[in-house]
Amino acid sequence: MTDRSCLAIVLAAGEGTRMRSRRPKVLHEIAGRSLLAHVLGAVRAAGATASAVVIGPDSEAVAGEARRVMPGAEIFVQAERRGTADAVLAAKAAIARGADDILVIFGDTPLISPQTLVRMREALAGGAALVVLGFRPKDPSGYGRLVVENGELVAVREELDASAAERAIDLCNGGSVGFAGKTGLEILTRIENNNRKSEFYLTDAVAVARSMKLKAVAIETEEDDVRGINTKAQLAETEAVYQQRLRKAAMEAGVTLVAPETVFLSADTKFGRDVVVEPFVVFGPGVTIEDEALICSFSHMERAHVGRGARVGPFARLRPGARLGAEVHIGNFVEIKEAVIEDGAKANHLAYIGDARLGAGSNFGAGAIVCNYDGVGKYRTDIGKGAFIGSNAALVSPVTIGDGAYVATGSVVTHDVPADALAIARERQVNKENRAARLRALKRAAKTKAAE
Ligand code: UD1
Ligand code: CA
């Protein structure tokens, strides 16, 4: 395919009202990545040499996402929702520039695979003027039907316009369509809007191509490749399919998932070798886990890095900017945000470390916290190598704890602690002889009096 140029047009206009959401449909996410980003990823992998994204009016957010994912993509606006063929023609200027293959892909079919797009390009290279992607869904309702005669595609009929006999066809339109560059624009401009919805249907390209004595073909793929998302239920079904794929890929790459169906991954989760993930773990976007790390149950992480041989959880939360070095231990109910935990450091129980560095080999005690926020600003705490932060200490940022320093249990640290110093910042203990018994007697007397 490398010798043929390819323009990919992604349709992302249309308000997607059936999602019942203010968010544009193509910005909904599967495995932490927008539907649009999934489609653009497939387009890139299929070797597209130019890309166009068609958006609706006032869709700055969609345009922004397109530019973020694919800075080279050209953005076109479809002024009014007048059908899929009209949407393609919004990108007329890109089409007119000429490409050997023109692929049209719907922004709401996020699982489309690059291999399938390549197969469509092969059909065009083989002489077809038009190629339509078909599949046989378990439930065909809502999809257009492909009418095939003697190996050639003769029509695509939208369900609303189909006869009873046509509705019985189980081969459906997956949405993606490919045009040979030479005749594509002419076919598109000849499409009319004489159907029940008075829309310009991309699918009518088949009848037009045939009227021009051009060859149209259908190629078939799996349902999972072309799942269209029109509702929140379809979004969830597609998420489930994609999660299965991610789990399978992770296990094939050597990750041990003890109970794969309970682990949720992101499209960009990265694992090293011999990583073990216990049941019920959520990996949000931007997570990298290095070799031999152990992620225990009920941990949740996003935009975090876990170093080689580290142990996380159970019940740990790694928030954006958590960077754990090698052999680090982060235990139950510990939250880390925007903090570097250097090699071999430990925070094993009930702690919060935010906007900080925890030096190599240091120990952050049970219930200790970094007070990084005063209600207005955020401040940093720096803890040196081999330091010991006693249980229930509160480190009030900004503060620096030197290498090897020791902070006594229960201290509220507001001043820097020099290296190797012992900081005690709490009230001295006082024991009052027999006062416990007297206190109880007083309280009982008060209670009796109140009951009278
Ligand atoms: C479409 C197909 C149907 C196919 C199904 C597969 C047509 C006419 N129908 O139906 O045959 O089985 O997809 O999922 O092509 N869009 C625009 N502008 C418009 C209309 C749509 O950009 O004016 C975009 C939408 O954002 C969406 C895509 O085109 O990404 C498909 O539109 P949608 O309304 O979802 O079409 P379906 O009814 O699902
Ligand atoms: Ca759709």
Side-chain angles (χ1 to χ4, degrees), residues 340-365:
V340 176
I341 313 298
E342 294 180 350
D343 295 355
K346 294 187 175 70
N348 271 325
H349 337 264
L350 302 153
Y352 172 64
I353 304 175
D355 300 311
R357 172 182 78 108
L358 185 56
S362 53
N363 193 303
F364 201 86

Side-chain angles (χ1 to χ4, degrees), residues 132-169:
V132 172
L133 185 58
F135 72 114
R136 295 178 201 274
K138 276 183 215 88
D139 172 14
S141 53
Y143 290 110
R145 308 297 205 281
L146 302 191
V147 186
V148 178
E149 282 169 15
N150 305 321
E152 286 197 26
L153 182 61
V154 292
V156 183
R157 202 75 72 217
E158 287 308 298
E159 188 164 78
L160 270 180
D161 307 299
S163 66
E166 284 166 341
R167 274 183 210 192
I169 297 172

Side-chain angles (χ1 to χ4, degrees), residues 11-14 25 78 81-84 87 106-109 143-144 158 173-175 201-203 228 230:
L11 302 192
K25 177 159 74 172
Q78 182 192 21
R81 189 184 163 93
R82 300 198 302 165
T84 41
F106 290 173
D108 67 351
T109 55
Y143 290 110
E158 287 308 298
N173 178 19
Y201 286 166
L202 180 59
T203 46
N230 291 337

Side-chain angles (χ1 to χ4, degrees), residues 222-305:
E222 300 289 300
E223 175 162 20
D224 286 344
D225 211 15
V226 288
R227 280 178 179 279
I229 296 177
N230 291 337
T231 64
K232 288 275 166 76
Q234 287 169 334
L235 183 70
E237 284 163 23
T238 307
E239 176 84 44
V241 169
Y242 196 67
Q243 287 295 335
Q244 295 276 32
R245 288 191 193 172
L246 292 175
R247 292 166 189 144
K248 194 160 166 261
M251 289 187 284
E252 275 166 8
V255 179
T256 300
L257 300 181
V258 177
E261 66 284 3
T262 66
V263 173
F264 289 82
L265 299 159
S266 283
D268 62 355
T269 308
K270 290 188 187 66
F271 291 107
R273 290 166 51 104
D274 293 309
V275 169
V276 175
V277 180
E278 290 187 352
F280 300 102
V281 174
V282 176
F283 295 93
V287 173
T288 302
I289 312 288
E290 289 194 33
D291 298 354
E292 287 153 41
L294 169 64
I295 312 297
C296 299
S297 294
F298 306 107
S299 294
H300 185 286
M301 50 197 84
E302 64 177 306
R303 305 203 189 290
H305 181 105

